[in-house]
Amino acid sequence: MAALTSTSSVLLLPVSTLPLPRGQLKAQYGPTLEAALRHAKPNDQSISRFDIAIILKDAVTSRSTLFDSLQHLLADVYTLICLIAAQHKVELDFPSGVDARVFLINLSADDKDVSPLTGPLVSVAALAASRRQYAHWRAPESLHSSDYSRRLQQLGESVKSLPEGHASAVLSDQPQASPAPDRQATRLHHRVAVGGTFDHIHIGHKLLLTATIFIAQPGEDREITIGITGDELLVNKKHATVLESWDVRQQRTADFIESILVFNNDVSSIRSVQHIDEPGPNGKIVKVTYTDAKNGSKIAINYTRISDPFGPTITDESISALVISAETRAGGKAVNDKRTEKGWAPLEVFEVDVLDAGSDDMEQDAKVEKTTFESKISSTEIRRRLAAAKQPTAAL
Ligand SMILES: *[C@@H]1O[C@H](CO)[C@@H](O)[C@H](O)[C@H]1NC(C)=O
Ligand SMILES: *[C@@H]1O[C@H](CO)[C@@H](O)[C@H](O)[C@H]1NC(C)=O
Ligand SMILES: *[C@@H]1O[C@H](CO)[C@@H](O)[C@H](O)[C@H]1NC(C)=O
């Protein structure tokens, strides 16, 4: 994992229950997030890590059941970060900007539960035991005196309290879209897949990857397949000269996943990495396995080079769930058509939101910044800017 630097920080945010409508979330967390994001911004060309730990109460259910409301929450928090960053000219995932990563705290988890491999939903005890070396710990004032908050202060030096929003304010006059009902399905998944290019990781990728790790239910060994498109399929992409190579995309994806999944004070002691390079489709794999030292339970993550839109989902029958974004819904259907043809059970498909700046309840300022917002969640736009920076004379 990339070492936490002198500017890394963690912000605690409380959520009482889910679902939380977007307008209410904005009123409640906007001021806190805005202040924290501006503090987090580095003064040089580096990129600061900015972790956000959202505290969930009453999450006493399975991950499949919680999935829809949880992914909405993640999507809304990431969207709010993008909006605030656009308004205040804070770069995201770009030099002299901020690398925001959201994970969750399960406040219902037992105080003795220090299991290091339940991220992105972790117990207070495991987070405290991970001894992550954040330089700054931040929280709105209302959290400072809570018991768990005091236990987490060892994660970094606390700075003065951040401003608070209003829990009861609802900004939007528009009727809220009613949240998706929690699934009736109680099927638990231990083998989950996702696919993508993952070039220059941004917030859209982070949402997709976090949802993928989340849906794999702990309790037995888990196996996750992250299909990453091979370089040969990307030669016609725009600004291809600054595309990251497969190896770099794999490493950055793995670094992100480790940061939201593993909460252990010595990650390298529980991690093993295997490089497999065999001929044929899906033959190149970096397999990263983490083992819970207490009870031996494992989570293995295959970073697999894929050369078609299916990857291992149509060659490995044991995979049972697929995570997609609404944009790639057709791909999910294509996978299941192929599996059905083979006489295999279809995958249960879990969909994450496509991030957008919203339209109805957006303030005028935010509308002006819509383009900036979109540039923060587009690999093509990130590459365009990087390519321009390399050739100053050709820039804009
Ligand atoms: C949160 O922790 C409780 C207690 O350990 C557990 O029963 C519950 O399943 C956890 N929530 C999720 C969504 O994993
Ligand atoms: C190992 O511990 C984790 C976390 O407490 C738990 O979810 C899992 O069921 C345990 N696994 C085994 C094999 O006992
Ligand atoms: C993960 O990689 C290992 C090693 O190549 C392979 O045996 C296993 O089948 C892969 N798992 C999935 C789900 O693709």
Side-chain angles (χ1 to χ4, degrees), residues 191 223 225 274 276 285 287 302 304 312 316 318-319:
R191 284 160 187 258
E223 207 169 76
T225 302
Q274 212 187 333
I276 298 142
I285 302 172
K287 178 173 179 170
N302 280 12
T304 304
D316 189 327
S318 72
I319 297 172

Side-chain angles (χ1 to χ4, degrees), residues 2 9-10 51 68 79 93 96 102 124 139 148 154 174 198 202 226 243 283 296 309 320 355 359 366 390:
S9 56
V10 62
D51 286 8
D68 288 318
T79 301
D93 303 304
S96 70
V102 181
V124 171
Y148 51 87
Q154 60 185 280
Q174 309 285 333
F198 303 112
H202 57 63
I226 314 274
L243 260 170
S320 69
L355 301 182
S359 45
K390 274 193 175 169

Side-chain angles (χ1 to χ4, degrees), residues 59-63 66 106 108-110 113 121 214 217:
V60 198
T61 176
S62 72
R63 293 184 170 206
L66 198 61
N106 183 354
S108 312
D110 196 275
D113 175 8
L121 182 63
F214 175 76
Q217 179 78 37

Side-chain angles (χ1 to χ4, degrees), residues 235-255:
V235 288
N236 292 326
K237 288 251 183 192
K238 278 190 185 166
H239 314 294
T241 53
V242 286
L243 260 170
E244 292 171 326
S245 67
W246 190 90
D247 292 325
V248 171
R249 288 180 284 129
Q250 183 277 318
Q251 279 160 20
R252 292 192 61 189
T253 304
D255 165 70

Side-chain angles (χ1 to χ4, degrees), residues 37 41 50-51 54 65 76 84 101 116 138 142 145 155 172 176 204 222 227 233 293-294 302 346 381:
L37 201 58
K41 199 178 159 214
F50 175 46
D51 286 8
I54 302 181
T65 311
D76 288 349
I84 293 169
R101 304 183 181 191
R138 294 180 175 128
S142 56
S145 54
L155 296 174
S172 171
Q176 283 291 335
R222 291 165 285 170
L233 297 189
K294 277 230 173 85
N302 280 12
E381 179 58 17

Side-chain angles (χ1 to χ4, degrees), residues 6 27 110 121 125 158 167 273 298 306 315 321 329 334 366 376 383:
S6 60
D110 196 275
L121 182 63
S158 170
V273 182
K298 287 185 194 324
I306 56 174
T315 55
R329 201 175 283 159
K376 295 186 188 305
R383 288 201 303 278

